Amino acid sequence: MHKIEPMILHLLQEIPYVAFPNLPREGEEAIEMMLTHMDSAPIGSEACIHLSGILTTLEGGYQDPPGEEMRLAVAKGEKHPKRPSDFSIEAGSYHFLQLPIAPQSDLITRRLETLLSDGPSLIYLRVLKESVVELVIQLLYRP
């Protein structure tokens, strides 16, 4: 397996999420729950799990697809309208990886363990639903 080099991502605004009810503490179980949620979510939805470096779930949630107001704000480069949230990825600089793997909890867990074995202590795992059959898997963590 070749090493993927992270890019730096500068978030100018927080990314808010509504909490998943009854999110498992074990990372692989939480990832499985998130992927199951995304199966039935509309295109444009996203979900995120905040994990410790030992893959314990700290928090997790989802966000529905952006509405017209959000799309216009993004297109104009304006501040995004406030969305309901229980937790957020805070604005700031992060290392960013987009993982070229199938959206399966065991594959994601193994890849996280490999990539982050001596890395950061806190990780955000994002899943974005780009089409009916395509999920994008991203990692954000502090440099």
Side-chain angles (χ1 to χ4, degrees), residues 39-102:
D39 281 343
S40 60
I43 295 169
S45 297
E46 73 174 78
C48 179
I49 296 179
H50 189 188
L51 298 160
S52 73
I54 58 169
L55 301 182
T56 300
T57 306
L58 302 173
E59 55 197 346
Y62 64 93
Q63 108 177 200
D64 292 328
E68 189 60 26
E69 184 181 13
M70 178 69 80
R71 282 196 262 296
L72 289 172
V74 169
K76 294 177 182 177
E78 297 174 348
K79 186 172 173 105
H80 299 172
K82 188 76 173 155
R83 297 179 95 171
S85 70
D86 296 309
F87 85 97
S88 299
I89 300 176
E90 298 299 322
S93 296
Y94 295 86
H95 281 219
F96 170 84
L97 292 169
Q98 190 154 306
L99 301 180
I101 58 174

Side-chain angles (χ1 to χ4, degrees), residues 1 3 10 13 22 32 48 58 63 66 81 86 89 101 105 120 127 133 135:
M1 184 178 330
K3 183 166 171 63
H10 303 289
Q13 297 181 61
N22 305 315
E32 183 64 39
C48 179
L58 302 173
Q63 108 177 200
D86 296 309
I89 300 176
I101 58 174
S105 59
V127 176
V133 295
L135 296 177

Side-chain angles (χ1 to χ4, degrees), residues 17 34-48 62-66 98 103 126-138:
Y17 297 95
M34 178 172 62
L35 293 173
T36 299
H37 171 84
M38 294 302 285
D39 281 343
S40 60
I43 295 169
S45 297
E46 73 174 78
C48 179
Y62 64 93
Q63 108 177 200
D64 292 328
Q98 190 154 306
R126 292 178 74 203
V127 176
L128 298 95
K129 188 163 188 173
E130 295 219 332
S131 72
V132 174
V133 295
E134 186 176 2
L135 296 177
V136 174
I137 312 296
Q138 299 177 338

